[in-house]
Amino acid sequence: MATTWADTPDDALDWLHRQAVRLADVLDAAPDDRAEEQRQYAAPVPTVFREWTTDTEFRAVQCAALADGHPISANARGPDRVCGAGDVEVLYSLAARPILRPVLSPFGSSSVDHR
C-alpha cells in the first residue's frame, strides 16, 4: 500500500498512473503458474492498469471529477499472484479523493477550497 498528497488533480493522476505501471510490472514479474485461472477474467490485471494509464480521454474525465470534489478509482480483479494464497481472488484498486482544505481570509472568516 502506498499513499501520497497531491496538490492538483493532474498531480494525483500522474502519481496513480506511476503506481499502476509499478503494480503491472510486479504482477507481470510474478510466476505465471495460474494461466488457467486468468482465463476467467476479461483481461489480466496488468493489462487493465496499463490501458487505464494510456486512456487520455478518461484521464480528463477523472481529473474533472477530482476537481469537482468526487473520488475516482481504477480497479481490476484477478487471482492472487503476489502472495500465492491459493484460489483467492484479489481486487486491486488505485484511488484518489479530494481533501477539502479550509482557506482563511484576512479577518478570520473561512471558506472551503474545493481544489
Side-chain angles (χ1 to χ4, degrees):
M1 179 204 257
T3 61
T4 193
W5 290 88
D7 290 326
T8 67
D10 275 326
D11 290 346
L13 266 294
D14 286 343
W15 186 84
L16 284 175
H17 284 185
R18 287 191 303 274
Q19 296 305 305
V21 170
R22 189 177 130 251
L23 178 59
D25 289 346
V26 166
L27 293 174
D28 277 342
D32 194 8
D33 57 353
R34 295 196 178 123
E36 187 65 34
E37 291 177 22
Q38 284 287 339
R39 290 190 188 127
Q40 68 178 318
Y41 301 100
V45 173
T47 301
V48 171
F49 284 130
R50 285 198 178 97
E51 288 178 359
W52 174 67
T53 64
T54 61
D55 189 339
T56 55
E57 289 180 27
F58 192 52
R59 179 190 173 103
V61 169
Q62 290 191 310
C63 277
L66 280 172
D68 287 340
H70 303 287
I72 58 102
S73 67
N75 306 289
R77 64 185 179 96
D80 178 9
R81 295 185 61 207
V82 176
C83 293
D87 296 331
V88 174
E89 182 175 77
V90 177
L91 174 67
Y92 298 93
S93 184
L94 299 168
R97 64 184 175 89
I99 304 293
L100 302 180
R101 300 179 291 187
V103 177
L104 298 177
S105 65
F107 297 106
S109 64
S110 63
S111 62
V112 174
D113 180 4
H114 292 280
R115 283 186 284 156

